[in-house]
Amino acid sequence: MALSTSSSKHQLLILALALALIAGLFLLPKVIVKPKDGQPTLAQDGAATANRDQGAAAPAVGELDEHGHPAGSHDEPSGPTAEKPHMTMPTAQRREISTLVAKYTAEADQGAKIGIARELAEKYKAVERFDSAGYYLEQIALVRPGEQTFQRAADQYYEAYSFATTEARQKLLGAKCRELYERVLKNNPDNLNAKTNLGMAYMASENPVKGITLLREVLAADPRNEQALYNLGLLAVQSNQYDKAAERFAELAEINPKNVNAQFYLGVSLAQTGAKQEARKAFLAAKSISSDPALAASVDEQLQKLQ
C-alpha cells in the first residue's frame, strides 16, 4: 500500500513513539495532555498558530516575517532545533513563499487575495508547514464560509497538531482545531471525520472526557469507522488498558487487514498483555503489508524481544 511522503513520515513518528511507549515512555501522536498552568493561550488572531515555534502572540496584521509568520518569532541565535523547523526551510522555497506572502499582504482585491492564499497553503503544505497552510486556508474560509472550506483549514491544523511534541503546541493547535471543527459541524452535524478529529483535539484540553464521548458517538453512528477505532485504540494504550486496546486494534484489523498501524499496534498491545504468539502474528502481518524498512526494523526488534 503506497504512502505519501507526509503519511510515511507520520507513520515513522508513530513507530518511534510506540517503541518509546514499550520502554515506558507513554508519548504518542495526539496524546492526552492536561496543559500545565502558565502555558501560553491561543491568541484570537489565527496568525498566532501559523508559527510552528512557540505559539507567540501575533503582531498587528501585516507584520509577518519571510515565512509569513509573526515578525521576530524566529529570532533565535541558537539556530534550528526540533521545535523550530522553519529555521531549516530550503532557501529557494523560503524565497518563493516570502514573495507570495508579500503579494498576499499587498493585494487589495478579495478574489485575487483568496487565490494567493490558496497558493500559499499549497506551498506550505508541500514543505510540511501544516499550521501555516491551515492559517491561509482559514483566511479563505472566513471570506467564503462553509463546511468544506472550514474543514480544509481544520484538517491542516489537525495535521500540525498530530505532530506536536510539546504540551504548549498541543494546547495551542488543539484549541484551533476545536474552533474550526466546531464550525464544520455547525454546517453539517453528520460529518464523522470532523467529529472524530474534534474528539482527538479535545484530548489536549481541560475536558478530554468530551473527546472520548465524541469518538464513541462516531462509532455509534458508524461501528466500522476506522479512524475512530484507531484513535480509541491509541487512547486505550496510553491509559495502560492494553486488553481494551487489543480489542480495538483487532476489530480494526478485521475491518481492514491492510491497515499497517492496526496490525503494529495490535502487536504492541498483545505483547503488553503477555500474549506473545498472537503479538508475533500481528507484527509479522504489519511487516508483510509494508515495504517501509524502518517499520521492518522495528518489527524485527520487537520480535526479538518476544523470544
Side-chain angles (χ1 to χ4, degrees), residues 19-54:
L19 297 181
L21 178 149
I22 294 169
L25 301 175
F26 298 99
L27 296 172
L28 288 168
K30 313 176 186 67
V31 295
I32 303 175
V33 174
K34 182 176 180 181
K36 295 179 180 178
D37 293 338
Q39 293 287 6
T41 58
L42 187 69
Q44 292 298 313
D45 189 329
T49 58
N51 167 20
R52 292 175 66 97
D53 298 347
Q54 297 178 0

Coordinates of all heavy atoms in Angstrom, one line a residue, residues 19-54:
L19 N 7.7 2.6 20.2 CA 8.9 1.9 20.8 C 9.2 2.5 22.1 O 9.6 1.8 23.1 CB 10.1 1.9 19.8 CG 9.9 1.2 18.5 CD1 11.1 1.3 17.7 CD2 9.5 -0.3 18.7
A20 N 9.1 3.8 22.2 CA 9.4 4.5 23.4 C 8.3 4.1 24.4 O 8.6 4.0 25.6 CB 9.3 6.1 23.2
L21 N 7.1 4.0 24.0 CA 6.0 3.5 24.8 C 6.3 2.2 25.5 O 6.1 2.0 26.7 CB 4.7 3.5 24.0 CG 3.4 3.0 24.7 CD1 2.2 3.7 24.1 CD2 3.3 1.5 24.6
I22 N 6.8 1.3 24.7 CA 7.1 -0.1 25.2 C 8.2 0.0 26.3 O 8.2 -0.7 27.2 CB 7.6 -1.0 24.0 CG1 6.4 -1.2 23.0 CG2 8.1 -2.3 24.5 CD1 6.9 -1.8 21.8
A23 N 9.0 1.0 26.1 CA 10.1 1.2 27.1 C 9.6 1.9 28.4 O 10.3 2.1 29.3 CB 11.3 2.0 26.5
G24 N 8.3 2.4 28.3 CA 7.7 3.0 29.5 C 7.5 4.5 29.3 O 7.1 5.2 30.3
L25 N 7.8 5.0 28.1 CA 7.5 6.5 27.9 C 6.2 6.6 27.1 O 6.2 6.3 25.9 CB 8.7 7.1 27.1 CG 10.0 7.0 27.7 CD1 11.1 7.5 26.8 CD2 10.0 7.8 29.1
F26 N 5.2 7.0 27.8 CA 3.9 7.0 27.1 C 3.6 8.3 26.4 O 2.8 9.1 26.8 CB 2.8 6.7 28.2 CG 3.0 5.4 28.9 CD1 3.6 5.3 30.1 CD2 2.6 4.2 28.2 CE1 3.8 4.1 30.7 CE2 2.7 3.0 28.8 CZ 3.4 2.9 30.1
L27 N 4.3 8.4 25.2 CA 4.2 9.5 24.3 C 3.8 9.0 23.0 O 4.5 8.3 22.3 CB 5.5 10.3 24.2 CG 5.9 11.0 25.5 CD1 7.3 11.5 25.4 CD2 5.0 12.1 26.0
L28 N 2.7 9.5 22.5 CA 2.2 9.1 21.2 C 1.6 10.3 20.4 O 1.3 11.3 21.1 CB 1.1 8.0 21.3 CG 1.5 6.6 21.7 CD1 0.2 5.8 22.1 CD2 2.2 5.9 20.6
P29 N 1.5 10.2 19.1 CA 0.8 11.3 18.4 C -0.6 11.5 19.0 O -1.2 10.5 19.4 CB 0.8 10.9 17.0 CG 1.9 9.9 16.9 CD 2.0 9.2 18.2
K30 N -1.0 12.7 19.1 CA -2.4 13.1 19.5 C -2.5 12.6 21.0 O -3.5 12.0 21.4 CB -3.5 12.4 18.7 CG -3.3 12.6 17.2 CD -4.3 11.8 16.4 CE -4.1 11.8 14.9 NZ -2.9 11.1 14.5
V31 N -1.5 13.0 21.8 CA -1.5 12.5 23.2 C -2.6 13.2 24.1 O -3.0 14.2 23.8 CB -0.1 12.7 23.9 CG1 0.9 11.9 23.2 CG2 0.2 14.2 23.9
I32 N -2.9 12.5 25.1 CA -3.8 13.1 26.2 C -2.9 14.0 27.0 O -2.0 13.5 27.7 CB -4.5 12.0 27.0 CG1 -5.3 11.0 26.2 CG2 -5.4 12.7 28.1 CD1 -5.8 9.9 27.0
V33 N -3.2 15.2 27.0 CA -2.3 16.1 27.8 C -3.2 17.1 28.5 O -4.1 17.7 28.0 CB -1.4 17.0 26.8 CG1 -0.6 18.0 27.6 CG2 -0.4 16.0 26.2
K34 N -2.9 17.2 29.8 CA -3.6 18.3 30.6 C -2.6 19.4 30.7 O -1.5 19.3 31.3 CB -3.9 17.8 32.0 CG -4.6 18.9 32.8 CD -5.0 18.4 34.2 CE -5.8 19.5 35.0 NZ -6.2 19.1 36.3
P35 N -2.8 20.5 29.9 CA -1.9 21.6 29.9 C -1.5 22.1 31.3 O -2.3 22.2 32.2 CB -2.6 22.7 29.1 CG -3.6 22.0 28.3 CD -4.0 20.8 29.2
K36 N -0.2 22.4 31.4 CA 0.3 22.9 32.7 C -0.1 24.4 32.9 O -0.3 25.1 31.9 CB 1.8 22.8 32.7 CG 2.3 21.4 32.7 CD 3.9 21.4 32.7 CE 4.4 20.0 32.6 NZ 5.9 19.9 32.6
D37 N -0.2 24.7 34.2 CA -0.6 26.1 34.5 C 0.6 27.0 33.9 O 1.7 26.7 34.0 CB -0.7 26.3 36.0 CG -1.9 25.6 36.5 OD1 -2.8 25.3 35.7 OD2 -1.9 25.3 37.7
G38 N 0.2 28.2 33.4 CA 1.2 29.1 33.0 C 1.6 29.0 31.5 O 2.4 29.7 31.0
Q39 N 1.1 27.9 30.8 CA 1.4 27.8 29.4 C 0.7 28.9 28.6 O -0.4 29.4 29.0 CB 1.0 26.4 28.9 CG 1.7 25.3 29.5 CD 3.2 25.2 29.0 OE1 3.6 26.0 28.3 NE2 3.9 24.2 29.4
P40 N 1.2 29.3 27.5 CA 0.6 30.3 26.7 C -0.8 29.9 26.2 O -1.1 28.7 26.0 CB 1.6 30.5 25.5 CG 2.3 29.2 25.4 CD 2.4 28.7 26.8
T41 N -1.7 30.9 26.0 CA -3.0 30.6 25.5 C -3.1 31.0 24.0 O -2.2 31.7 23.5 CB -4.1 31.4 26.3 OG1 -3.7 32.8 26.2 CG2 -4.1 31.0 27.7
L42 N -4.1 30.5 23.4 CA -4.2 30.8 21.9 C -4.7 32.2 21.7 O -5.7 32.6 22.2 CB -5.2 29.8 21.3 CG -5.4 29.8 19.8 CD1 -4.1 29.3 19.2 CD2 -6.5 29.0 19.4
A43 N -3.9 32.9 20.9 CA -4.3 34.3 20.5 C -5.5 34.2 19.7 O -5.8 33.3 18.9 CB -3.2 35.0 19.8
Q44 N -6.3 35.3 19.7 CA -7.5 35.3 18.9 C -7.2 35.4 17.4 O -7.9 34.8 16.6 CB -8.4 36.6 19.3 CG -9.0 36.5 20.6 CD -9.9 35.3 20.8 OE1 -10.8 35.1 19.9 NE2 -9.8 34.6 21.8
D45 N -6.1 36.0 17.0 CA -5.8 36.1 15.6 C -5.2 34.8 15.2 O -4.3 34.2 15.8 CB -4.7 37.2 15.5 CG -4.4 37.5 14.0 OD1 -4.5 36.6 13.2 OD2 -4.1 38.7 13.7
G46 N -5.7 34.2 14.1 CA -5.3 32.9 13.6 C -3.8 32.9 13.3 O -3.2 31.8 13.2
A47 N -3.2 34.0 13.0 CA -1.8 34.1 12.6 C -0.9 33.6 13.8 O 0.2 33.1 13.5 CB -1.4 35.5 12.2
A48 N -1.4 33.6 15.0 CA -0.6 33.1 16.1 C -0.2 31.7 16.0 O 0.9 31.3 16.4 CB -1.3 33.4 17.4
T49 N -1.1 30.9 15.4 CA -0.8 29.5 15.3 C -0.1 29.2 14.0 O 0.2 28.0 13.7 CB -2.1 28.6 15.4 OG1 -3.0 29.1 14.4 CG2 -2.7 28.8 16.7
A50 N 0.1 30.2 13.1 CA 0.9 29.9 11.9 C 2.3 30.1 12.2 O 3.1 30.5 11.4 CB 0.4 30.9 10.8
N51 N 2.7 29.7 13.4 CA 4.1 29.8 13.9 C 4.3 28.5 14.6 O 3.8 28.2 15.6 CB 4.2 30.9 14.9 CG 5.5 30.9 15.7 OD1 6.4 30.2 15.3 ND2 5.5 31.5 16.8
R52 N 5.2 27.6 14.0 CA 5.4 26.3 14.5 C 6.3 26.3 15.7 O 6.6 25.3 16.3 CB 6.0 25.4 13.4 CG 5.1 25.1 12.3 CD 5.8 24.3 11.2 NE 6.2 23.0 11.7 CZ 5.6 21.9 11.5 NH1 4.4 21.9 10.8 NH2 6.0 20.7 11.9
D53 N 6.8 27.5 16.1 CA 7.8 27.5 17.1 C 7.3 27.5 18.5 O 7.3 26.5 19.2 CB 8.8 28.7 16.9 CG 9.5 28.6 15.6 OD1 9.5 27.5 15.0 OD2 10.0 29.6 15.1
Q54 N 6.8 28.6 19.0 CA 6.4 28.7 20.4 C 5.0 29.3 20.5 O 4.7 29.7 21.7 CB 7.4 29.4 21.2 CG 8.8 28.7 21.2 CD 9.8 29.5 21.9 OE1 9.5 30.5 22.5 NE2 11.0 28.9 22.0

